Amino acid sequence: MIVEVPRWTNAKMEIATKEPLNPIKQDIKKGNMRFVANVFPHKGYIWNYGALPQTWEDPTHTDESTGCRGDNDPVDVCEIGAKVCSRGDVIRVKVLGVLALIDEGETDWKIIAINIDDPEASSFKNIDDVRRLKPGYLEASVDWFRQYKVPDGKPENQFAFNSEFKDKDFAIGVIESTHSFWKALVTKKSSAGEVNCTNTTVCHSPFQCTEAHAKALVEAMPAFGAGGSVPVDVDQWWYGKKN
């Protein structure tokens, strides 16, 4: 997985799929940088949060199990290991299960996984092991995803399968299907829409570019500098009531 958001941080960072080479950037809403609220009792993101490369949730495909189309993004991953990762880390993970979030009518899969280098990784083989060895973590995850947009004035998120987690085999099926959608995307067998598929490594992709071109794209980006000030309310608790 590619780590976009380290655990316990609030900045809503994500792979910018509409930009060349898909850099990780902070999401912007109405001209302001986005931060997730600390929805009591949670502090920021409660896992190392990121995405699986070479996956894509096709917005033209209606999933048979959820009845909803894909959200036009890579598959999200919640990594539950002990280490707090750094943004941009690329880590190998063991897939344990998946939660099906329905975000504004779109299927938004959340893979539950653990870093294979975690000291306890060998003890985790399926989603039931998370429930047994990390009691309350799965319930907290559902609660987090249900409420994290409520402080912004949006309704609670909904879930498929009555908010239940599916097991490892089901999760691997999700990964395999979204990988096939990605292959069709980067070989131009399906419409990319606004997704920028420029890459340096995918053989036979019409979007493949040279390393020199990729380097020029990176060098054309604004120089690294100090970020803006963080809003004072980012570190405050948000207390809400469940609907």
Side-chain angles (χ1 to χ4, degrees), residues 82-101:
K83 179 182 177 181
V84 177
C85 294
S86 298
R87 184 173 301 118
D89 280 353
V90 179
I91 60 174
R92 293 189 297 163
V93 295
K94 180 190 291 187
V95 174
L96 303 172
V98 65
L99 177 68
L101 175 68

Side-chain angles (χ1 to χ4, degrees), residues 18-242:
K18 298 178 183 178
E19 299 191 20
L21 304 179
N22 303 152
I24 296 175
K25 299 181 69 175
Q26 189 166 359
D27 191 23
I28 297 176
K29 182 178 180 181
K30 297 181 179 179
N32 297 315
M33 298 291 188
R34 286 191 65 189
F35 297 86
V36 298
N38 298 310
V39 180
F40 186 83
H42 313 301
K43 170 66 178 78
Y45 286 72
I46 62 175
W47 341 256
N48 294 304
Y49 188 75
L52 283 185
Q54 300 190 358
T55 62
W56 179 56
E57 299 185 49
D58 187 347
T60 69
H61 173 78
T62 299
D63 188 271
E64 292 181 0
S65 58
T66 67
C68 297
R69 297 185 178 187
D71 71 349
N72 203 31
D73 281 325
V75 172
D76 297 320
V77 187
C78 303
E79 192 280 317
I80 64 171
K83 179 182 177 181
V84 177
C85 294
S86 298
R87 184 173 301 118
D89 280 353
V90 179
I91 60 174
R92 293 189 297 163
V93 295
K94 180 190 291 187
V95 174
L96 303 172
V98 65
L99 177 68
L101 175 68
I102 305 301
D103 188 356
E104 298 181 9
E106 297 175 333
T107 304
D108 189 3
W109 296 108
K110 307 296 181 184
I111 299 290
I112 306 299
I114 189 168
N115 190 334
I116 65 168
D117 293 327
D118 189 90
E120 296 184 323
S122 61
S123 299
F124 290 84
K125 297 178 176 61
N126 211 321
I127 196 68
D128 288 338
D129 295 321
V130 183
R131 191 172 286 108
R132 176 173 57 89
L133 298 171
K134 292 182 180 283
Y137 207 166
L138 296 181
E139 292 80 1
S141 297
V142 172
D143 185 62
W144 194 95
F145 280 120
R146 177 180 288 116
Q147 298 198 71
Y148 84 100
K149 289 185 177 181
V150 176
D152 295 328
K154 292 188 175 181
E156 292 184 351
N157 279 323
Q158 304 299 313
F159 304 89
F161 316 122
N162 196 32
S163 306
E164 293 294 325
F165 289 80
K166 291 294 187 178
D167 66 9
K168 175 181 179 177
D169 290 341
F170 190 100
I172 290 175
V174 169
I175 294 168
E176 290 174 342
S177 65
T178 54
H179 176 62
S180 68
F181 296 146
W182 171 83
K183 286 196 292 186
L185 179 71
V186 296
T187 55
K188 221 169 185 177
K189 293 178 181 177
S190 64
S191 174
E194 295 183 317
V195 177
N196 192 306
C197 298
T198 302
N199 69 85
T200 62
T201 59
V202 184
C203 297
H204 310 300
S205 169
F207 302 103
Q208 187 176 16
C209 71
T210 64
E211 290 187 9
H213 179 61
K215 182 179 179 181
L217 289 171
V218 173
E219 292 176 345
M221 293 294 102
F224 179 80
S229 60
V230 177
V232 295
D233 61 354
V234 168
D235 289 326
Q236 297 177 358
W237 288 119
W238 184 86
Y239 295 89
K241 296 180 180 180
K242 293 183 178 180

